[in-house]
């Protein structure tokens, strides 16, 4: 009798964005704002990451796309500036840090994509997972320079 009422409804297909993967939206902090969350491949590493975008109900803006493409293009440049901060966090967690190449220890897992003009004042953040420590660290950037890192 109640089969139709309790039958599991199929979720509507999520829009697939060419840059940010499968997108879902949730209300932002203020009226009229929306937060978009996507899951897709990050081109420089090929790993699947979560994209977070603040914005408007229509979805990612031209500003988000411009910032995203610039971040992809400059990945090697800004990643090098993040490594010393990530190493500090890792050493704090492990107590010691073995000498060696750190660049392969950290894998990007999420990216907050700003909706602003790409330039020296652009602020954004990216999180990196370190399986050796079983931890994830968030790094704040100003343009292509890492300015701080903390354990999530």
């Amino acid at each position: 009798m109640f089969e139709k009422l309790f039958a599991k409804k199929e979720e509507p297909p999520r829009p697939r964005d060419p840059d940010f993967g499968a997108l879902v939206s949730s209300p932002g902090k203020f009226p009229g704002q929306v937060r978009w969350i996507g899951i897709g491949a990050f081109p420089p590493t090929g790993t699947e990451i979560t994209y977070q975008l603040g914005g408007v109900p229509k979805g990612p803006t031209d500003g988000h796309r411009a910032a995203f493409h610039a971040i992809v293009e400059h990945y090697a440049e800004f990643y090098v500036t993040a490594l010393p901060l990530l190493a500090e966090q890792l050493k704090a967690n492990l107590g010691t840090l073995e000498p060696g190449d750190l660049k392969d220890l950290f894998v990007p897992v999420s990216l907050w994509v700003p909706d602003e003009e790409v330039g020296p004042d652009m602020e954004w953040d990216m999180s990196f997972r370190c399986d050796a420590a079983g931890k994830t660290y968030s790094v704040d950037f100003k343009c292509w320079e890492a300015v701080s890192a903390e354990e999530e």
Side-chain angles (χ1 to χ4, degrees), residues 39-106:
I39 298 175
F42 184 59
T45 61
T47 55
E48 187 171 90
I49 71 170
T50 301
Y51 296 104
Q52 299 178 53
L53 306 92
V56 296
K58 291 184 179 182
T61 65
D62 290 342
H64 287 119
R65 294 189 193 288
F68 170 73
H69 289 286
I71 289 167
V72 166
E73 181 181 335
H74 292 274
Y75 179 74
E77 179 183 340
F78 70 75
Y79 184 59
V80 169
T81 73
L83 282 175
L85 299 175
L86 290 166
E88 285 176 23
Q89 292 295 316
L90 184 59
K91 187 175 180 181
N93 286 127
L94 298 179
T96 62
L97 190 59
E98 296 293 322
D101 193 5
L102 297 174
K103 71 178 182 177
D104 295 329
L105 283 179
F106 302 98

Side-chain angles (χ1 to χ4, degrees), residues 23-26 28 30-36 53-62 64 115:
L23 288 172
V24 294
S25 65
S26 63
F30 303 102
Q33 284 189 333
V34 174
R35 180 175 155 194
W36 290 92
L53 306 92
V56 296
K58 291 184 179 182
T61 65
D62 290 342
H64 287 119
D115 182 16

